[in-house]
Amino acid sequence: MTATPDARAINRSSGPGEVPEWVALAHEAAGVGAAVISAGGMLLWANPAMIALVGRPGRELLNRHVSDLVNPSDRDQLSLAMSTLGPQHVTIARVQWPTPGSWLHVSLSQLPDEIDGQPAILAQAVDVTESIQSQVSLEVMSQNVLDVVTVIDASGTITWASPSVQSALGRDPDSLPNLAITELIAPEDLQSFDDALAGAEPGQGP
């Protein structure tokens, strides 16, 4: 029988190295998973949403190294993201957690308050499994089509492009993410494209 994750936030015992109270007040009831990680990578605090995302009882998470909570293939990526943090700096890491096929988007930022005289990290996470699976399916379906297929976010920025852009547009598909979709549209077609995009339903193309 699988243990049901605790519905309470977990917190390191009070003392000189306790997690700042404002962190708990700001994030304990949040729908987004939140956790505080020490400079050495130990989990010091987690809100109920993070406990539910990780899928383990809260008592098993406290003072556990975060590398134990992610897929082994993603540990280097997470470690690098944590090591490059500076004041007010945010790194986004796509981390596959231990449940096969499940994914989290993790935002890492340095807390302004030190813990035990060392910098500490605030991690916030959301489940993006459905969107990742949809993109993987789209990539598989688009491998052998001649039409150009792109995925764009709400701001019109390309997040993925099919391999067919190489032959159709002479562009490397890996160079298109973070590019505005309008940069691929002829100037005379921009107005009709914008009109079609404005009227498109989610999941539909213009």
Side-chain angles (χ1 to χ4, degrees), residues 74-136:
D74 295 311
R75 288 173 182 169
D76 288 345
Q77 179 188 13
L78 182 60
S79 295
L80 177 62
M82 290 175 59
S83 68
T84 55
L85 288 174
Q88 306 301 321
H89 182 75
V90 176
T91 300
I92 300 297
R94 179 181 293 169
V95 179
Q96 186 174 15
W97 45 312
T99 305
S102 299
W103 295 80
L104 297 179
H105 247 158
V106 180
S107 171
L108 303 171
S109 57
Q110 184 172 311
L111 285 174
D113 301 328
E114 293 186 342
I115 297 178
D116 287 337
Q118 297 290 327
I121 296 168
L122 174 66
Q124 295 177 277
V126 293
D127 188 343
V128 292
T129 302
E130 185 175 342
S131 62
I132 295 297
Q133 290 176 337
S134 296
Q135 181 165 321
V136 170

Side-chain angles (χ1 to χ4, degrees), residues 193-205:
F193 176 82
D194 288 342
D195 292 343
L197 194 62
E201 295 292 331
Q204 293 183 338

Side-chain angles (χ1 to χ4, degrees), residues 11-159:
N11 190 20
R12 176 174 166 170
S13 59
S14 60
E18 67 181 319
V19 172
E21 184 179 6
W22 68 265
V23 174
L25 291 174
H27 298 284
E28 184 160 356
V32 173
V36 174
I37 305 167
S38 73
M42 305 302 290
L43 188 64
L44 303 179
W45 177 89
N47 70 350
M50 181 66 86
I51 295 170
L53 283 174
V54 175
R56 299 189 187 186
R59 61 185 176 276
E60 294 184 9
L61 301 180
L62 192 60
N63 293 321
R64 186 166 190 154
H65 199 279
V66 292
S67 64
D68 294 336
L69 305 177
V70 300
N71 190 290
S73 63
D74 295 311
R75 288 173 182 169
D76 288 345
Q77 179 188 13
L78 182 60
S79 295
L80 177 62
M82 290 175 59
S83 68
T84 55
L85 288 174
Q88 306 301 321
H89 182 75
V90 176
T91 300
I92 300 297
R94 179 181 293 169
V95 179
Q96 186 174 15
W97 45 312
T99 305
S102 299
W103 295 80
L104 297 179
H105 247 158
V106 180
S107 171
L108 303 171
S109 57
Q110 184 172 311
L111 285 174
D113 301 328
E114 293 186 342
I115 297 178
D116 287 337
Q118 297 290 327
I121 296 168
L122 174 66
Q124 295 177 277
V126 293
D127 188 343
V128 292
T129 302
E130 185 175 342
S131 62
I132 295 297
Q133 290 176 337
S134 296
Q135 181 165 321
V136 170
S137 298
L138 180 61
E139 291 175 3
V140 172
M141 291 187 296
S142 302
Q143 289 301 313
N144 298 309
V145 298
L146 298 179
D147 293 333
V148 171
V149 180
T150 61
V151 176
I152 61 174
D153 62 18
S155 67
T157 301
I158 298 172
T159 60

